[in-house]
Amino acid sequence: MSIGSISNISFRQASPFPMEKNQGYFMPMPQTVSPQEQIPQQAPQVIVVKETVEPQEEKKKKGGLRNTIAKIAKFFTTASEMTKASAKALWYGTTSGAATLAGFWALGAVPKQIKNKSFKKAFTEPLKSISTKGKVIAGLVALAVASVHIIKGVLRSNQRAANVEHQLDVEHVTP
């Protein structure tokens, strides 16, 4: 014996009072369609609605004195921070690259030249005695150190520009 569900059964109680129908208290029950009477549904149709975007007039920003002062202050803070960052990148990048080259020279080139019995050549031509791998690694170290200082400078510059905007109570403007 199989047990099935009957779709016509509803547990909602209909109002026995006909007066309530007129006053809007009675909500008619939805009509159900038996599975045999169902009409096969067609595939949903996609309707493409093209929205026309009207060009909106941009409001002209007030070029007040406060905005002008903020622009000038942001320019000088950005210029000073980027100058500092460039100088640090140049100095520390060069120093770290030279230190790496010196390490490769002292730990690789000098022992190799001593083994080849041309110790004088290690001092007269130090760059030729350093391996290509050492030169490449020294260049990458210098580049990495310089990049770190440039990125820190950009972030510090953005922070100082935002501080200027907050102090002068001006809108944030991205360049």
Side-chain angles (χ1 to χ4, degrees), residues 121-152:
K121 189 176 181 182
F123 290 99
T124 57
E125 298 173 351
L127 284 178
K128 286 187 178 178
S129 59
I130 298 173
S131 66
T132 305
K133 179 178 81 170
K135 292 174 191 173
V136 169
I137 290 175
L140 290 175
V141 167
L143 184 66
V145 170
S147 298
V148 166
H149 284 288
I150 293 292
I151 291 169
K152 282 174 56 177

mmCIF file of all heavy atoms in Angstrom, residues 121-152:
data_model
loop_
_atom_site.group_PDB
_atom_site.id
_atom_site.type_symbol
_atom_site.label_atom_id
_atom_site.label_comp_id
_atom_site.label_asym_id
_atom_site.label_seq_id
_atom_site.Cartn_x
_atom_site.Cartn_y
_atom_site.Cartn_z
ATOM 1 N N LYS A 121 95.561 39.219 -8.925
ATOM 2 C CA LYS A 121 94.480 39.478 -9.869
ATOM 3 C C LYS A 121 93.159 39.724 -9.124
ATOM 4 O O LYS A 121 92.311 40.477 -9.596
ATOM 5 C CB LYS A 121 94.340 38.293 -10.821
ATOM 6 C CG LYS A 121 93.400 38.526 -11.963
ATOM 7 C CD LYS A 121 93.394 37.345 -12.908
ATOM 8 C CE LYS A 121 92.464 37.604 -14.062
ATOM 9 N NZ LYS A 121 92.403 36.470 -14.960
ATOM 10 N N ALA A 122 92.973 39.125 -7.961
ATOM 11 C CA ALA A 122 91.752 39.330 -7.172
ATOM 12 C C ALA A 122 91.638 40.774 -6.707
ATOM 13 O O ALA A 122 90.529 41.287 -6.526
ATOM 14 C CB ALA A 122 91.740 38.391 -5.978
ATOM 15 N N PHE A 123 92.774 41.458 -6.521
ATOM 16 C CA PHE A 123 92.744 42.842 -6.065
ATOM 17 C C PHE A 123 92.793 43.840 -7.213
ATOM 18 O O PHE A 123 92.248 44.936 -7.103
ATOM 19 C CB PHE A 123 93.915 43.106 -5.101
ATOM 20 C CG PHE A 123 93.720 42.402 -3.790
ATOM 21 C CD1 PHE A 123 94.354 41.200 -3.539
ATOM 22 C CD2 PHE A 123 92.900 42.942 -2.816
ATOM 23 C CE1 PHE A 123 94.180 40.553 -2.338
ATOM 24 C CE2 PHE A 123 92.721 42.293 -1.614
ATOM 25 C CZ PHE A 123 93.359 41.097 -1.361
ATOM 26 N N THR A 124 93.429 43.487 -8.310
ATOM 27 C CA THR A 124 93.522 44.423 -9.431
ATOM 28 C C THR A 124 92.249 44.417 -10.276
ATOM 29 O O THR A 124 91.871 45.451 -10.823
ATOM 30 C CB THR A 124 94.730 44.080 -10.339
ATOM 31 O OG1 THR A 124 94.606 42.750 -10.791
ATOM 32 C CG2 THR A 124 96.032 44.287 -9.594
ATOM 33 N N GLU A 125 91.577 43.297 -10.391
ATOM 34 C CA GLU A 125 90.342 43.194 -11.168
ATOM 35 C C GLU A 125 89.263 42.523 -10.304
ATOM 36 O O GLU A 125 88.888 41.368 -10.540
ATOM 37 C CB GLU A 125 90.579 42.374 -12.431
ATOM 38 C CG GLU A 125 91.599 43.004 -13.361
ATOM 39 C CD GLU A 125 91.928 42.091 -14.524
ATOM 40 O OE1 GLU A 125 91.493 40.918 -14.517
ATOM 41 O OE2 GLU A 125 92.601 42.552 -15.441
ATOM 42 N N PRO A 126 88.727 43.254 -9.307
ATOM 43 C CA PRO A 126 87.789 42.601 -8.392
ATOM 44 C C PRO A 126 86.458 42.223 -9.048
ATOM 45 O O PRO A 126 85.911 41.159 -8.748
ATOM 46 C CB PRO A 126 87.581 43.632 -7.283
ATOM 47 C CG PRO A 126 87.976 44.928 -7.864
ATOM 48 C CD PRO A 126 88.990 44.629 -8.920
ATOM 49 N N LEU A 127 85.946 43.050 -9.957
ATOM 50 C CA LEU A 127 84.663 42.710 -10.577
ATOM 51 C C LEU A 127 84.778 41.532 -11.534
ATOM 52 O O LEU A 127 83.834 40.765 -11.692
ATOM 53 C CB LEU A 127 84.085 43.921 -11.311
ATOM 54 C CG LEU A 127 83.464 44.997 -10.408
ATOM 55 C CD1 LEU A 127 82.963 46.159 -11.248
ATOM 56 C CD2 LEU A 127 82.342 44.426 -9.587
ATOM 57 N N LYS A 128 85.920 41.386 -12.184
ATOM 58 C CA LYS A 128 86.098 40.243 -13.089
ATOM 59 C C LYS A 128 86.246 38.945 -12.310
ATOM 60 O O LYS A 128 85.915 37.883 -12.810
ATOM 61 C CB LYS A 128 87.322 40.460 -13.984
ATOM 62 C CG LYS A 128 87.077 41.474 -15.073
ATOM 63 C CD LYS A 128 88.245 41.515 -16.022
ATOM 64 C CE LYS A 128 87.993 42.496 -17.146
ATOM 65 N NZ LYS A 128 89.133 42.586 -18.061
ATOM 66 N N SER A 129 86.734 39.049 -11.081
ATOM 67 C CA SER A 129 86.936 37.818 -10.316
ATOM 68 C C SER A 129 85.663 37.355 -9.598
ATOM 69 O O SER A 129 85.586 36.220 -9.152
ATOM 70 C CB SER A 129 88.068 38.015 -9.300
ATOM 71 O OG SER A 129 87.744 39.066 -8.424
ATOM 72 N N ILE A 130 84.645 38.216 -9.517
ATOM 73 C CA ILE A 130 83.370 37.813 -8.897
ATOM 74 C C ILE A 130 82.549 37.073 -9.946
ATOM 75 O O ILE A 130 82.489 37.468 -11.113
ATOM 76 C CB ILE A 130 82.600 39.048 -8.381
ATOM 77 C CG1 ILE A 130 83.403 39.762 -7.297
ATOM 78 C CG2 ILE A 130 81.247 38.650 -7.819
ATOM 79 C CD1 ILE A 130 82.797 41.070 -6.859
ATOM 80 N N SER A 131 81.885 36.023 -9.525
ATOM 81 C CA SER A 131 81.097 35.214 -10.460
ATOM 82 C C SER A 131 79.871 35.982 -10.952
ATOM 83 O O SER A 131 79.422 36.947 -10.326
ATOM 84 C CB SER A 131 80.642 33.920 -9.776
ATOM 85 O OG SER A 131 79.740 34.215 -8.736
ATOM 86 N N THR A 132 79.326 35.520 -12.060
ATOM 87 C CA THR A 132 78.129 36.148 -12.625
ATOM 88 C C THR A 132 76.950 35.987 -11.676
ATOM 89 O O THR A 132 76.131 36.906 -11.530
ATOM 90 C CB THR A 132 77.797 35.505 -13.991
ATOM 91 O OG1 THR A 132 78.945 35.598 -14.825
ATOM 92 C CG2 THR A 132 76.637 36.202 -14.651
ATOM 93 N N LYS A 133 76.874 34.840 -11.029
ATOM 94 C CA LYS A 133 75.804 34.604 -10.064
ATOM 95 C C LYS A 133 75.867 35.634 -8.941
ATOM 96 O O LYS A 133 74.844 36.180 -8.522
ATOM 97 C CB LYS A 133 75.928 33.192 -9.491
ATOM 98 C CG LYS A 133 74.874 32.855 -8.462
ATOM 99 C CD LYS A 133 75.011 31.445 -7.958
ATOM 100 C CE LYS A 133 76.099 31.419 -6.886
ATOM 101 N NZ LYS A 133 76.149 30.143 -6.160
ATOM 102 N N GLY A 134 77.043 35.947 -8.462
ATOM 103 C CA GLY A 134 77.212 36.939 -7.411
ATOM 104 C C GLY A 134 76.792 38.331 -7.851
ATOM 105 O O GLY A 134 76.187 39.085 -7.085
ATOM 106 N N LYS A 135 77.120 38.671 -9.095
ATOM 107 C CA LYS A 135 76.742 39.987 -9.607
ATOM 108 C C LYS A 135 75.221 40.111 -9.746
ATOM 109 O O LYS A 135 74.639 41.147 -9.419
ATOM 110 C CB LYS A 135 77.408 40.227 -10.961
ATOM 111 C CG LYS A 135 78.915 40.378 -10.877
ATOM 112 C CD LYS A 135 79.504 40.473 -12.271
ATOM 113 C CE LYS A 135 81.016 40.356 -12.215
ATOM 114 N NZ LYS A 135 81.595 40.284 -13.550
ATOM 115 N N VAL A 136 74.598 39.040 -10.224
ATOM 116 C CA VAL A 136 73.142 39.050 -10.389
ATOM 117 C C VAL A 136 72.451 39.150 -9.028
ATOM 118 O O VAL A 136 71.507 39.930 -8.846
ATOM 119 C CB VAL A 136 72.669 37.800 -11.170
ATOM 120 C CG1 VAL A 136 71.163 37.651 -11.117
ATOM 121 C CG2 VAL A 136 73.157 37.858 -12.599
ATOM 122 N N ILE A 137 72.929 38.374 -8.066
ATOM 123 C CA ILE A 137 72.328 38.412 -6.731
ATOM 124 C C ILE A 137 72.512 39.785 -6.098
ATOM 125 O O ILE A 137 71.594 40.319 -5.469
ATOM 126 C CB ILE A 137 72.904 37.289 -5.847
ATOM 127 C CG1 ILE A 137 72.404 35.937 -6.355
ATOM 128 C CG2 ILE A 137 72.522 37.478 -4.385
ATOM 129 C CD1 ILE A 137 73.002 34.744 -5.645
ATOM 130 N N ALA A 138 73.685 40.388 -6.261
ATOM 131 C CA ALA A 138 73.921 41.729 -5.718
ATOM 132 C C ALA A 138 72.984 42.754 -6.355
ATOM 133 O O ALA A 138 72.448 43.633 -5.666
ATOM 134 C CB ALA A 138 75.373 42.134 -5.942
ATOM 135 N N GLY A 139 72.756 42.635 -7.655
ATOM 136 C CA GLY A 139 71.819 43.534 -8.337
ATOM 137 C C GLY A 139 70.393 43.363 -7.831
ATOM 138 O O GLY A 139 69.675 44.340 -7.634
ATOM 139 N N LEU A 140 69.980 42.108 -7.625
ATOM 140 C CA LEU A 140 68.632 41.850 -7.120
ATOM 141 C C LEU A 140 68.458 42.369 -5.689
ATOM 142 O O LEU A 140 67.406 42.906 -5.339
ATOM 143 C CB LEU A 140 68.313 40.359 -7.188
ATOM 144 C CG LEU A 140 68.126 39.785 -8.597
ATOM 145 C CD1 LEU A 140 67.931 38.276 -8.541
ATOM 146 C CD2 LEU A 140 66.955 40.447 -9.289
ATOM 147 N N VAL A 141 69.489 42.214 -4.875
ATOM 148 C CA VAL A 141 69.428 42.727 -3.501
ATOM 149 C C VAL A 141 69.300 44.243 -3.521
ATOM 150 O O VAL A 141 68.477 44.822 -2.797
ATOM 151 C CB VAL A 141 70.667 42.270 -2.699
ATOM 152 C CG1 VAL A 141 70.795 43.046 -1.399
ATOM 153 C CG2 VAL A 141 70.597 40.783 -2.414
ATOM 154 N N ALA A 142 70.101 44.901 -4.346
ATOM 155 C CA ALA A 142 70.036 46.358 -4.436
ATOM 156 C C ALA A 142 68.664 46.822 -4.927
ATOM 157 O O ALA A 142 68.086 47.783 -4.390
ATOM 158 C CB ALA A 142 71.131 46.873 -5.368
ATOM 159 N N LEU A 143 68.130 46.136 -5.912
ATOM 160 C CA LEU A 143 66.812 46.476 -6.442
ATOM 161 C C LEU A 143 65.718 46.268 -5.399
ATOM 162 O O LEU A 143 64.804 47.093 -5.270
ATOM 163 C CB LEU A 143 66.521 45.637 -7.693
ATOM 164 C CG LEU A 143 65.219 45.931 -8.418
ATOM 165 C CD1 LEU A 143 65.261 47.337 -9.003
ATOM 166 C CD2 LEU A 143 64.981 44.906 -9.498
ATOM 167 N N ALA A 144 65.803 45.182 -4.644
ATOM 168 C CA ALA A 144 64.797 44.908 -3.622
ATOM 169 C C ALA A 144 64.820 45.967 -2.524
ATOM 170 O O ALA A 144 63.765 46.465 -2.103
ATOM 171 C CB ALA A 144 65.024 43.522 -3.023
ATOM 172 N N VAL A 145 66.005 46.320 -2.073
ATOM 173 C CA VAL A 145 66.117 47.336 -1.017
ATOM 174 C C VAL A 145 65.611 48.686 -1.524
ATOM 175 O O VAL A 145 64.879 49.394 -0.823
ATOM 176 C CB VAL A 145 67.574 47.426 -0.512
ATOM 177 C CG1 VAL A 145 67.769 48.623 0.395
ATOM 178 C CG2 VAL A 145 67.961 46.148 0.213
ATOM 179 N N ALA A 146 65.964 49.040 -2.745
ATOM 180 C CA ALA A 146 65.499 50.312 -3.311
ATOM 181 C C ALA A 146 63.979 50.314 -3.468
ATOM 182 O O ALA A 146 63.316 51.321 -3.171
ATOM 183 C CB ALA A 146 66.176 50.567 -4.655
ATOM 184 N N SER A 147 63.419 49.199 -3.904
ATOM 185 C CA SER A 147 61.960 49.107 -4.077
ATOM 186 C C SER A 147 61.239 49.268 -2.753
ATOM 187 O O SER A 147 60.197 49.931 -2.689
ATOM 188 C CB SER A 147 61.585 47.762 -4.706
ATOM 189 O OG SER A 147 62.155 47.642 -5.974
ATOM 190 N N VAL A 148 61.765 48.667 -1.710
ATOM 191 C CA VAL A 148 61.139 48.794 -0.393
ATOM 192 C C VAL A 148 61.103 50.256 0.037
ATOM 193 O O VAL A 148 60.083 50.749 0.532
ATOM 194 C CB VAL A 148 61.878 47.920 0.649
ATOM 195 C CG1 VAL A 148 61.483 48.286 2.068
ATOM 196 C CG2 VAL A 148 61.610 46.455 0.396
ATOM 197 N N HIS A 149 62.181 50.976 -0.172
ATOM 198 C CA HIS A 149 62.216 52.379 0.240
ATOM 199 C C HIS A 149 61.296 53.249 -0.612
ATOM 200 O O HIS A 149 60.666 54.184 -0.093
ATOM 201 C CB HIS A 149 63.649 52.915 0.212
ATOM 202 C CG HIS A 149 64.458 52.437 1.374
ATOM 203 N ND1 HIS A 149 64.266 52.885 2.649
ATOM 204 C CD2 HIS A 149 65.445 51.511 1.459
ATOM 205 C CE1 HIS A 149 65.097 52.277 3.467
ATOM 206 N NE2 HIS A 149 65.831 51.430 2.760
ATOM 207 N N ILE A 150 61.186 52.953 -1.889
ATOM 208 C CA ILE A 150 60.265 53.710 -2.754
ATOM 209 C C ILE A 150 58.819 53.455 -2.330
ATOM 210 O O ILE A 150 58.010 54.385 -2.230
ATOM 211 C CB ILE A 150 60.468 53.344 -4.244
ATOM 212 C CG1 ILE A 150 61.835 53.811 -4.730
ATOM 213 C CG2 ILE A 150 59.356 53.909 -5.116
ATOM 214 C CD1 ILE A 150 61.988 55.313 -4.808
ATOM 215 N N ILE A 151 58.470 52.193 -2.074
ATOM 216 C CA ILE A 151 57.097 51.861 -1.665
ATOM 217 C C ILE A 151 56.771 52.518 -0.321
ATOM 218 O O ILE A 151 55.681 53.075 -0.141
ATOM 219 C CB ILE A 151 56.908 50.339 -1.613
ATOM 220 C CG1 ILE A 151 56.939 49.772 -3.034
ATOM 221 C CG2 ILE A 151 55.606 49.962 -0.930
ATOM 222 C CD1 ILE A 151 57.015 48.265 -3.104
ATOM 223 N N LYS A 152 57.710 52.458 0.612
ATOM 224 C CA LYS A 152 57.480 53.125 1.895
ATOM 225 C C LYS A 152 57.295 54.623 1.706
ATOM 226 O O LYS A 152 56.465 55.247 2.382
ATOM 227 C CB LYS A 152 58.654 52.848 2.844
ATOM 228 C CG LYS A 152 58.622 51.478 3.468
ATOM 229 C CD LYS A 152 59.851 51.148 4.278
ATOM 230 C CE LYS A 152 60.150 52.137 5.352
ATOM 231 N NZ LYS A 152 61.320 51.734 6.175
#
